[in-house]
Amino acid sequence: MFDFTGKTAIVTGAGSGIGEAIALELAASGAFVVVSDLDEEAANRVVAMILDRGGKAEGHAADVSDPQAMERMVAFAEAETGGLHLAVNNAGIGGPQNPVGEYPLDGWKQVIDVNLNGVFYGLRYQIPAMERAGGGAIVNIASILGSVGFANASAYVAAKHGVLGLTKTAAMEYSAKGIRVNAVGPGFIATPLLTKNLEQEVLDGLAALHPIGRIGTSEEVSALTCFLLSERASFITGSYHLVDGAYTAQ
Ligand code: NAP
């Protein structure tokens, strides 16, 4: 549906779930995709799928919570293809589930490091690369929990709210330079983040929280993300876009 021919994209956390679906759709739409993940084997599995389908991709192992790794990831994309045009800061973790008064201090630090600092480190190096390339578009994967609370998930909720502030500020700073920055807020989505950790009964309970009556798919998040990255979204920047089956409409 989109045409990203000639564009280079980085997707973090692209070895699984939502990131994997976005990497596959970007590549199917003509982009060269740097499939980045903590888990090198998972990244290479997604690269193999892209190459099998006739697309272009390279895997790159990187921890988003390590600023030097983010600098190397962007340098890798530029060295491989000559420039960076698109980025999706998607890598994220769930973290511990406790009320604030009992929340583990190391768990708090880890979630903020990956889900908030990781997005900043991505932007910190992607934006100068996009300036060198003459412009670009970035999507930060936040959550419905970027705008509403959720009991026992304070670090995750705080990090995702922070991602919205970062997105708005970066968009204000760089829109005149041809770089658009938006955030996407998925409801609960059927990915390993959810399905490997939760019993079916809990998943059914989460589905019931969405007026649409089910949880979403990674492809539904990818469709919105690819639209925001595309030229069809040329006047859209600095905003937060939900894909949540009316979860937050209630
Ligand atoms: P997922 O299936 O667990 O995929 C996340 C990927 O990120 C995994 O491959 C994971 O590797 C990788 N990762 C974890 N920590 C990383 C790090 N420090 N550096 C680089 N990569 C790292 O999760 P998902 O559901 O697709 O989530 C993707 C994004 O969507 C996250 O930001 C999440 O918060 C957001 N989101 C998800 C949902 C949902 O219901 N699923 C809803 C709203 C928002 P390992 O497997 O090795 O850890």
Side-chain angles (χ1 to χ4, degrees), residues 112 115-117 119-120 123 140 142 145-147 155-169 183:
I112 298 296
N115 292 8
L116 178 57
N117 294 341
V119 175
F120 166 67
L123 294 172
N140 299 322
L145 305 186
S147 58
Y156 187 93
V157 169
K160 295 297 187 181
H161 276 68
V163 167
L164 299 197
L166 193 49
T167 300
K168 290 171 189 171
T169 303

Side-chain angles (χ1 to χ4, degrees), residues 13 16 18 37-38 62-64 90 141-142 156 160 186-187 189 191-193:
S16 172
I18 293 170
D37 202 281
L38 194 55
D63 179 347
V64 298
N90 162 78
I141 303 298
Y156 187 93
K160 295 297 187 181
I189 306 296
T191 71
L193 181 76

Side-chain angles (χ1 to χ4, degrees), residues 129-210:
M130 288 182 189
E131 287 187 280
R132 289 190 285 276
I138 300 174
V139 169
N140 299 322
I141 303 298
S143 167
I144 44 174
L145 305 186
S147 58
V148 294
F150 198 80
N152 298 316
S154 53
Y156 187 93
V157 169
K160 295 297 187 181
H161 276 68
V163 167
L164 299 197
L166 193 49
T167 300
K168 290 171 189 171
T169 303
M172 288 172 67
E173 292 166 345
Y174 291 98
S175 56
K177 294 179 175 167
I179 301 171
R180 294 183 299 104
V181 190
N182 287 290
V184 160
F188 286 92
I189 306 296
T191 71
L193 181 76
L194 222 62
T195 51
K196 80 178 172 205
N197 295 320
L198 302 176
E199 304 291 327
Q200 189 55 48
E201 202 175 71
V202 180
L203 290 172
D204 291 344
L206 289 176
L209 298 174
H210 301 70

